[in-house]
Amino acid sequence: MGRAAALGGGGGGAPRWLPWLGLCFWAAGAAAGRGTDNSEVLPESIPSAPGTLPHFIEEPDDAYIIKSNPIALRCKARPAMQIFFKCNGEWVHQNEHVSEESLDESSGLKVREVFINVTRQQVEDFHGPEDYWCQCVAWSHLGTSKSRKASVRIAYLRKNFEQDPQGREVPIEGMIVLHCRPPEGVPAAEVEWLKNEEPIDSEQDENIDTRADHNLIIRQARLSDSGNYTCMAANIVAKRRSLSATVVVYVNGGWSSWTEWSACNVRCGRGWQKRSRTCTNPAPLNGGAFCEGMSVQKITCTSLCPVDGSWEVWSEWSVCSPECEHLRIRECTAPAPRNGGKFCEGLSQESENCTDGLCILDKKPLHEIKPQRWSRRGIESASDIALYSGLGAAVVAVAVLVIGVTLYRRSQSDYGVDVIDSSALTGGFQTFNFKTVRQGNSLLLNSAMQPDLTVSRTYSGPICLQDPLDKELMTESSLFNPLSDIKVKVQSSFMVSLGVSERAEYHGKNHSRTFPHGNNHSFSTMHPRNKTPYIQNLSSLPTRTELRTTGVFGHLGGRLVMPNTGVSLLIPHGAIPEENSWEIYMSINQGEPSLQSDGSEVLLSPEVTCGPPDMIVTTPFALTIPHCADVSSEHWNIHLKKRTQQGKWEEVMSVEDESTSCYCLLDPFACHVLLDSFGTYALTGEPITDCAVKQLKVAVFGCMSCNSLDYNLRVYCVDNTPCAFQEVVSDERHQGGQLLEEPKLLHFQGNTFSLQISVLDIPPFLWRIKPFTACQEVPFSRVWCSNRQPLHCAFSLERYTPTTTQLSCKICIRQLKGHEQILQVQTSILESEREAITFFAQEDSTFPAQTGPKAFKIPYSIRQRICATFDTPNAKGKDWQMLAQKNSINRNLSYFATQSSPSAVILNLWEARHQHDGDLDSLACALEEIGRTHTKLSNISESQLDEADFNYSRQNGL
């Protein structure tokens, strides 16, 4: 009883040992083990005793078991004689309690604190209708008090989100809502949003709200809101990351304001004006839709042409006046000058003696004139006759002297030509008068040949010939091969520099020539006795008309290529209906161009014909035409023209215009045109400024002359198109010429300055050049408007001794106040020792016609997948627009919108542009950047390609 009293504390009233009697019974029952039902061992209440009921200072809190770590539950009460835990309706064993006692100094009451540990195994073993719970029960003298129930749960967080945020593509200022449902967990996970791995603070940005059921709401999308968004879920156990959602804020393009109307393109007459606008207000961003509508508008304009005045016919003579004169007048009214035209030149009034001097003479009547006056007039008339007779005799004497000097010079000439040297004044220009060589010249191959004395050739100007056939005029061979029906008359280019207009006339018989199958042209050649290559006679070279190739194509399509010309034709798959086939041809006009330039317009490409003209295609085909313009919209206005059946040329479109009938894509060296009708096409250019540039290819060829000591150099300046250079190469092959240096590119500006060609650094003791021929100049107009005719200048070098076999010199081609190129010649004049230089850096396919899948770089199965992917519309328009932009097709997108499969037409254009390189890597990169496909085209093996083609052929019954 003493231990009970000591433990119980003071207080009167009921016997103090009663509570402890109950505790002893409880202790005895507890000693028997917690396995027995001891819920009734301790009564819920103990008989009251004097004092205060226990008050809980600290009650147990809800707790979570993390992994396998136990948790501790605490209770603290005062005054309390004893505190025990009760879990799930059962008392916790005394041994599992840890208790501490203390004294509250302010009240003097005893404070007891008790805590227990709850393990994960205990919680998992409990299977009740509610969560595992524990409660504290505290005793004092007056009775018991119970704490709140504290639940104990096992904490966890599942791995997978119930809903991951999805990517969005929204227009600017639109609303963005990203949904996120975190994984199931205990306790419930808290959600945090990341943008590009950086936390989002909605309190600092009023435009963002993250409070609504874990969702992220952006009220008005800004460009800066584009990025990768991630939902982060976390509780006391773990953190989980959702899949990233890509948000793209795109901007649809908007048109800028129209520019002012341009000036009329013609000075007078009917022309056109245009104005333009750009898709920059705003510019499409992040895959936004391109502007719809036309970027260029044209209207017709009419400017009044100035009309120069012209005289009416003279009026009748007036009545004879007392002064023996009569008058007549005329007016400038036929027509009168208007719109700034010039006034008539000349006099508007004319007078003359109306009696031929018989009316008045020295103010005296006619009958008063003395006879001696008339005799004096007769003497004066006789003296005038003598004066004129003397002048005539002097002219005859001078003519005889000139003829004598000419005959003397011809007797001393070794070449049978008369040379009047004016190069000292003209800086290298000479005037040549070529005449038929007299009989008996020692240079003739056959002295018995009788020349035709009725033919003469006059060539005035520099030794620079427009056509390669004219080079015979520079050699002895042409002098004893007379040409009937040919007259050549060229005014000196030196006179052009003095302000005299340049005129050229050429009359002769055309020699027709056709090439039905290929380019195997036959030429007749002459060989002198020394076996050196001989320049052909001008009359022996037929005129080229065209290059031509053909192929038979069906539903599978294919490609038709003109080798080494840069001209090709792509027939897409499906362009020709099934069970049909056509023989398609393609030709290049190599004769005189039928397209005559108007005004400042320049022909920039060959005239290409494809046919048959009555063939109908269901899908646009791609025609590739090379050009020689240095592409710049600031300096050139380039047009595509087509020849009508009547032979006239009509403009199809300007390259910069918007059109739904055809499409032009201008690359640096070629133009790719999408067309739906066959015909004859060509590119022309109208220079807008003096900075417009034509690209010329300059090359030097050499061959031995008929004189064994002479060596001829021919420098060509032709349009930088493969077909123009091929024509030069063909000529030189048949004349024995050899390419001495790799051709180079010359940028020729439209600034009206001429072209100068000169030979420099000739070895002085080994070679010599004929006097005053080392520098030659070509007028600007002959280079700028060459109409694809090969322009070349010839130089003749002479060896001092036959032992000299090596030639080294420089040839400078430069435009005055323009670009310059140097050709370094270092060669052997002996054909056996000369190193061959390739004519073309890249040879086209030896098979001009390729049909079926092998003609295309993209396999048909891959092509079908691309079209199916990008032809499908989405929220912001057609995905083919992104495909076009990634392939540098940013203009005239309305043309593709009218096609049944825009992606297929874009891929056809890609095939035409990459017929040589077949750069599938660039196409694969473009597709990956768009994000719609990750197919690596470049990794497709040859076996896969063959298998795809085989399967495709089986599907189509091939």
Side-chain angles (χ1 to χ4, degrees):
M1 294 296 295
R3 184 172 182 270
L7 295 173
R16 298 170 57 189
W17 48 269
L18 287 176
W20 297 108
L21 179 62
L23 289 177
C24 291
F25 285 117
W26 172 78
R34 293 190 60 180
T36 61
D37 184 9
N38 54 3
S39 59
E40 300 300 330
V41 174
L42 278 180
E44 290 296 327
S45 62
I46 301 176
S48 61
T52 303
L53 285 174
H55 172 69
F56 285 98
I57 301 174
E58 179 179 354
E59 295 184 86
D61 294 326
D62 295 338
Y64 299 93
I65 296 177
I66 302 174
K67 297 182 180 180
S68 299
N69 300 322
I71 53 99
L73 298 178
R74 295 177 178 275
C75 267
K76 182 185 290 186
R78 69 180 179 191
M81 294 184 299
Q82 196 61 264
I83 299 176
F84 290 97
F85 272 93
K86 193 175 186 180
C87 292
N88 300 321
E90 295 182 359
W91 295 102
V92 179
H93 196 278
Q94 180 180 8
N95 295 337
E96 297 179 10
H97 289 74
V98 178
S99 62
E100 296 179 357
E101 289 186 359
S102 61
L103 187 67
D104 188 355
E105 297 179 356
S106 60
S107 61
L109 297 177
K110 184 181 297 184
V111 177
R112 181 176 293 274
E113 180 180 7
V114 177
F115 63 90
I116 63 173
N117 289 330
V118 179
T119 65
R120 182 185 183 96
Q121 187 65 38
Q122 292 175 346
V123 177
E124 290 178 347
D125 291 343
F126 174 71
H127 301 284
E130 54 185 355
D131 293 334
Y132 189 97
W133 58 270
C134 292
Q135 185 181 34
C136 288
V137 179
W139 282 270
S140 69
H141 293 289
L142 293 181
T144 61
S145 296
K146 297 181 180 179
S147 70
R148 63 177 294 274
K149 290 183 179 180
S151 62
V152 179
R153 305 174 67 185
I154 299 175
Y156 67 92
L157 184 63
R158 301 195 183 279
K159 292 183 179 181
N160 298 324
F161 278 73
E162 295 183 4
Q163 182 179 2
D164 286 302
Q166 301 296 317
R168 292 287 185 272
E169 295 175 346
V170 296
I172 194 168
E173 296 184 356
M175 177 178 285
I176 303 174
V177 178
L178 298 181
H179 298 280
C180 177
R181 293 176 61 186
E184 178 186 355
V186 175
E190 296 183 357
V191 173
E192 179 184 22
W193 284 92
L194 303 179
K195 175 190 173 183
N196 298 332
E197 304 301 327
E198 295 292 333
I200 297 176
D201 190 353
S202 59
E203 295 182 357
Q204 295 182 359
D205 192 345
E206 297 179 353
N207 194 39
I208 298 177
D209 185 7
T210 58
R211 297 170 297 178
D213 196 20
H214 307 308
N215 298 328
L216 174 67
I217 301 175
I218 301 178
R219 297 182 178 88
Q220 288 186 332
R222 303 156 294 191
L223 287 176
S224 58
D225 293 326
S226 297
N228 295 320
Y229 288 82
T230 307
C231 181
M232 290 286 297
N235 63 5
I236 59 176
V237 180
K239 290 184 177 181
R240 301 284 186 257
R241 289 173 58 97
S242 70
L243 298 176
S244 294
T246 301
V247 173
V248 177
V249 180
Y250 63 86
V251 178
N252 291 325
W255 289 114
S256 65
S257 301
W258 288 103
T259 61
E260 296 293 332
W261 288 105
S262 65
C264 199
N265 69 321
V266 294
R267 297 183 59 185
C268 68
R270 185 179 179 86
W272 51 263
Q273 293 175 278
K274 70 177 181 179
R275 65 175 183 174
S276 61
R277 58 180 178 174
T278 57
C279 190
T280 56
N281 187 32
L285 293 175
N286 298 335
F290 197 78
C291 301
E292 296 183 358
M294 310 294 283
S295 64
V296 178
Q297 283 185 345
K298 283 188 177 182
I299 59 174
T300 57
C301 58
T302 303
S303 301
L304 297 177
C305 296
V307 178
D308 296 337
S310 181
W311 292 111
E312 288 279 4
V313 297
W314 287 101
S315 66
E316 296 294 332
W317 288 103
S318 65
V319 179
C320 195
S321 68
E323 289 79 15
C324 299
E325 289 184 345
H326 59 178
L327 303 175
R328 66 175 180 176
I329 62 174
R330 57 179 179 175
E331 295 181 351
C332 187
T333 58
R338 61 180 182 269
N339 303 330
K342 297 180 181 179
F343 195 80
C344 302
E345 296 182 357
L347 299 175
S348 62
Q349 179 177 308
E350 188 177 61
S351 64
E352 66 177 17
N353 193 295
C354 54
T355 61
D356 294 332
L358 299 179
C359 178
I360 293 295
L361 187 60
D362 294 337
K363 303 298 183 179
K364 294 181 180 181
L366 184 61
H367 65 274
E368 295 180 359
I369 299 176
K370 297 181 178 180
Q372 61 270 18
R373 184 78 174 268
W374 289 101
S375 62
R376 185 168 62 247
R377 289 178 58 88
I379 295 172
E380 292 176 355
S381 298
S383 63
D384 289 342
I385 293 174
L387 175 61
Y388 291 135
S389 299
L391 289 176
V395 170
V396 172
V398 172
V400 171
L401 179 62
V402 170
I403 293 173
V405 172
T406 301
L407 293 176
Y408 173 77
R409 294 187 61 185
R410 291 188 62 181
S411 65
Q412 300 298 323
S413 173
D414 290 336
Y415 299 97
V417 295
D418 294 338
V419 180
I420 302 173
D421 189 1
S422 63
S423 56
L425 298 176
T426 63
F429 291 87
Q430 304 177 40
T431 302
F432 288 85
N433 185 22
F434 293 88
K435 298 180 180 178
T436 307
V437 181
R438 62 187 174 276
Q439 188 174 359
N441 192 315
S442 59
L443 295 178
L444 290 175
L445 293 179
N446 186 356
S447 303
M449 183 183 297
Q450 297 298 324
D452 186 354
L453 300 179
T454 63
V455 177
S456 66
R457 305 192 190 102
T458 301
Y459 208 101
S460 177
I463 314 177
C464 190
L465 307 177
Q466 176 93 14
D467 193 280
L469 305 181
D470 296 343
K471 66 174 90 44
E472 279 68 38
L473 300 178
M474 306 270 318
T475 64
E476 293 79 13
S477 62
S478 63
L479 302 178
F480 32 85
N481 286 279
L483 307 177
S484 59
D485 303 325
I486 290 186
K487 297 178 182 179
V488 180
K489 191 181 296 182
V490 181
Q491 187 171 335
S492 172
S493 61
F494 174 61
M495 299 302 292
V496 178
S497 64
L498 297 180
V500 182
S501 63
E502 178 186 14
R503 297 179 182 176
E505 298 178 4
Y506 185 92
H507 306 283
K509 292 183 178 178
N510 291 330
H511 301 269
S512 62
R513 184 178 189 183
T514 58
F515 309 124
H517 301 288
N519 302 329
N520 298 323
H521 317 320
S522 60
F523 287 82
S524 60
T525 59
M526 297 177 63
H527 298 278
R529 286 172 293 184
N530 57 6
K531 303 301 182 181
T532 57
Y534 193 80
I535 300 178
Q536 295 180 12
N537 188 331
L538 179 61
S539 63
S540 68
L541 285 176
T543 302
R544 291 178 179 81
T545 57
E546 64 179 20
L547 290 174
R548 184 182 178 95
T549 184
T550 61
V552 178
F553 297 90
H555 183 69
L556 298 182
R559 192 189 304 267
L560 190 62
V561 178
M562 190 81 72
N564 296 326
T565 62
V567 178
S568 64
L569 182 67
L570 182 75
I571 307 297
H573 170 271
I576 301 176
E578 293 187 24
E579 300 181 358
N580 287 352
S581 63
W582 287 84
E583 182 179 8
I584 299 177
Y585 64 86
M586 185 169 59
S587 63
I588 300 175
N589 178 24
Q590 285 197 304
E592 189 69 21
S594 61
L595 176 57
Q596 301 299 325
S597 301
D598 297 331
S600 60
E601 203 172 39
V602 181
L603 184 63
L604 298 176
S605 75
E607 297 175 2
V608 179
T609 302
C610 53
D614 57 344
M615 175 179 170
I616 299 176
V617 294
T618 59
T619 302
F621 61 88
L623 178 63
T624 299
I625 306 176
H627 65 83
C628 61
D630 190 3
V631 180
S632 174
S633 59
E634 299 177 357
H635 307 313
W636 282 105
N637 189 8
I638 299 178
H639 307 273
L640 175 69
K641 292 195 172 184
K642 181 180 181 180
R643 189 172 63 190
T644 63
Q645 294 181 352
Q646 293 75 23
K648 296 182 179 180
W649 287 86
E650 294 181 348
E651 180 177 336
V652 178
M653 68 174 294
S654 175
V655 172
E656 297 298 326
D657 285 350
E658 301 280 341
S659 174
T660 57
S661 59
C662 66
Y663 186 89
C664 288
L665 180 61
L666 201 62
D667 280 346
F669 298 103
C671 182
H672 309 282
V673 190
L674 295 177
L675 300 163
D676 54 10
S677 63
F678 290 94
T680 301
Y681 296 90
L683 290 176
T684 63
E686 182 181 358
I688 302 175
T689 67
D690 290 346
C691 297
V693 172
K694 274 184 65 176
Q695 295 178 346
L696 302 180
K697 181 170 289 186
V698 294
V700 56
F701 289 80
C703 71
M704 293 293 293
S705 175
C706 58
N707 186 346
S708 60
L709 294 179
D710 289 350
Y711 191 76
N712 293 329
L713 295 178
R714 290 184 291 274
V715 182
Y716 289 85
C717 298
V718 297
D719 292 346
N720 184 35
T721 57
C723 49
F725 187 61
Q726 187 188 39
E727 184 177 352
V728 172
V729 169
S730 179
D731 285 340
E732 288 294 332
R733 278 175 175 167
H734 291 290
Q735 299 178 57
Q738 293 289 331
L739 184 64
L740 304 182
E741 172 67 1
E742 185 176 348
K744 293 187 178 180
L745 201 62
L746 178 72
H747 295 279
F748 191 78
Q749 293 185 3
N751 54 13
T752 71
F753 288 99
S754 58
L755 187 69
Q756 196 175 72
I757 304 174
S758 56
V759 181
L760 308 173
D761 298 344
I762 300 175
F765 301 108
L766 299 176
W767 293 86
R768 66 181 175 186
I769 190 170
K770 292 184 178 181
F772 311 111
T773 61
C775 180
Q776 302 180 27
E777 190 167 343
V778 186
F780 169 81
S781 59
R782 294 177 64 186
V783 181
W784 189 253
C785 303
S786 61
N787 290 332
R788 286 186 55 253
Q789 294 302 312
L791 173 69
H792 85 278
C793 291
F795 300 89
S796 182
L797 305 181
E798 183 180 0
R799 294 179 288 173
Y800 283 97
T801 63
T803 58
T804 302
T805 60
Q806 298 294 323
L807 173 61
S808 175
C809 65
K810 293 181 181 178
I811 297 179
C812 176
I813 305 102
R814 73 183 187 95
Q815 184 184 19
L816 301 180
K817 297 187 178 181
H819 191 221
E820 178 184 70
Q821 278 291 6
I822 300 292
L823 297 177
Q824 180 70 50
V825 176
Q826 191 162 4
T827 184
S828 172
I829 64 175
L830 300 179
E831 187 173 358
S832 59
E833 299 179 1
R834 185 183 297 117
E835 181 180 355
I837 300 176
T838 57
F839 290 123
F840 297 98
Q842 175 175 311
E843 292 285 338
D844 286 329
S845 173
T846 56
F847 301 98
Q850 294 181 339
T851 60
K854 291 298 183 181
F856 302 97
K857 307 298 181 182
I858 306 175
Y860 182 74
S861 58
I862 301 297
R863 178 190 178 92
Q864 282 185 314
R865 289 163 56 190
I866 294 176
C867 294
T869 301
F870 288 97
D871 284 342
T872 304
N874 60 12
K876 62 175 187 297
K878 294 284 187 179
D879 281 343
W880 58 261
Q881 296 180 359
M882 291 186 288
L883 180 64
Q885 293 173 7
K886 291 298 182 181
N887 286 277
S888 303
I889 304 174
N890 302 312
R891 185 189 51 79
N892 196 12
L893 296 183
S894 57
Y895 171 81
F896 300 97
T898 61
Q899 305 298 323
S900 58
S901 176
S903 301
V905 180
I906 293 172
L907 294 180
N908 293 338
L909 192 57
W910 184 94
E911 290 275 3
R913 298 178 72 184
H914 297 83
Q915 62 174 313
H916 293 299
D917 53 28
D919 189 8
L920 293 174
D921 285 335
S922 63
L923 180 60
C925 291
L927 298 177
E928 291 180 0
E929 288 179 9
I930 296 174
R932 296 298 300 269
T933 178
H934 296 279
T935 305
K936 294 185 177 294
L937 300 179
S938 59
N939 293 335
I940 300 175
S941 63
E942 292 295 333
S943 61
Q944 290 173 315
L945 294 180
D946 294 339
E947 182 180 357
D949 295 341
F950 175 73
N951 293 335
Y952 168 70
S953 301
R954 290 181 57 191
Q955 293 173 6
N956 289 273
L958 300 179

